[in-house]
Amino acid sequence: MSTIQLQSFGSVSPERYPLDHTHFRDTSGRLLEVDNAFAPLRERQIDRLKKLFDTRAGSWVPIDRSGVWRYRELLPAFKPFDRVVTLMEGNTPVYAMPRCGSYTGMENLKVKHLGCNPTGSFKDAGMTAAITMAAMLGKKSVACASTGNTSASMAAYAARAGMRSVVFIPGGQVAYGKLSQSLDYGAVTIQIDGDFDKAMSLVETLCSDSGLYLLNSINPFRVEGQKTIMIELLHQLQWRCPDWIVVPGGNLGNVSAFGKAFEELQRLGFITKPPRLACIQAHGANPFYASFASGVRLLKAVSANTRATAIKIGNPISFEKAWHSLELTCGVVEEVSEDEIAAAKSMIGRDGIGCEPASAVTVAGCRKLAAAGVMKPGESVVCILTGHLLKDPEYTVEYHSDELFLDPHRNVSLSGTQRITAAAGGNRPVRLAADETIIRDFLESLDAEA
Ligand SMILES: *Cc1c(COP(=O)(O)O)cnc(C)c1O
């Protein structure tokens, strides 16, 4: 029987390491991945597992209740599961989105809202796994570079596990909702003058020669946890794959994890053919798109600029893994403009769902891909909403007040900066005198308009 190990990703002669190896690159700089040594299951075994997952979904035991650990047979690296650190993450809802369906031209459009996780983003699905591994390895201190959500999630799980956490964030560029979380959860929060890509390279070096355990998505155990986002989705859809999964692309950890999930589910026999992955980037942070569009599998780093700060990343660490996910799923990459992101976000809002700007690239991307004929009208689509609206409320208020600019510091920098237009999507707050008659007249004028 082969054992579960780490191995070099994308190499013809992979180097292999034990699970407690804490440097996440091989000798030639390749990323590592968990080799779960899965073998095909019999139909009877698959039916038994599906029934087991169903039963656990109705259980109140934390490890069953968690939408990650419920699927622990597919996460064998963490056996015997006696050190699991959970906030009962996952269990995120899937919603039909009729208004976004008309808006994109994809009538059969749903979203899975990962913003409903304990700290408000999908990072929790990976973090519960990686912090569990940190606990299994006896680590006392953990670290990450972050555009905000990774640090919020790491800080929460580290607090639960009684570990010290150290976060490196780009100074002045992290949305307040996210920064406030790291502070409350007790993380040592270091703002550097530099962008995310600078923070990422700094923390990777720091962790390689200290006792700090690195929790960015270069950590292969994060990827293991994030696989369950797709496993839970398929469970929710009665194990029927949609035609498309649409996901934002920043550091490309999610695209990589989703590809690995489908690869393993197919090998085990849960599915016969994976859905197609569509990864969407902001135009101002589009190195994956640029590579895909040119057809050349070569990462050319860019200097990233977008108000969707969660995907403001110019040198994505999981580029190679993400390419593999595209190949595996017949995937595509698209880019969208700041105006398209903002408009899509307000359209998602009109379906009663609130997400942060980075998540809205999915609906904007669907609209573009449908218009280009890449997505066909009858096909089913699930957009992955990665973070919650309340992560970045400034963005939303500025947008609806027609005051949203590409440069968030426009007030201090007098330099010209692009305005992101609200146009018809805007919903300005109304100022009225505190007078019954005036307010009644105003409300009647709304009825007259409708
Ligand atoms: C981290 C993050 C992303 C980017 O995900 P990657 O796995 O880095 O591509 C997108 N949206 C939100 C809200 C995030 O927090």
Side-chain angles (χ1 to χ4, degrees), residues 121-123 149 226 248-254 310-311 356 358-359 386-387:
S121 85
F122 78 81
K123 300 299 195 299
N149 281 335
Q226 285 169 218
N251 222 4
L252 305 177
N254 244 355
I311 50 173
E356 65 168 283
S359 309
T386 43

Side-chain angles (χ1 to χ4, degrees), residues 81-98:
F81 309 108
D82 55 353
R83 300 300 301 269
V84 166
V85 181
T86 178
L87 289 165
M88 279 165 269
E89 51 291 317
N91 298 301
T92 55
V94 175
Y95 299 112
M97 301 286 279

Side-chain angles (χ1 to χ4, degrees), residues 6 25 33 38 48 58 60 71 82 120 129 148 223 263 341 444:
L6 295 172
R25 290 187 190 271
E33 66 172 349
F38 286 135
R48 210 175 47 86
W60 293 107
Y71 306 103
D82 55 353
V223 174
E263 194 167 30
I341 296 170
E444 278 167 14

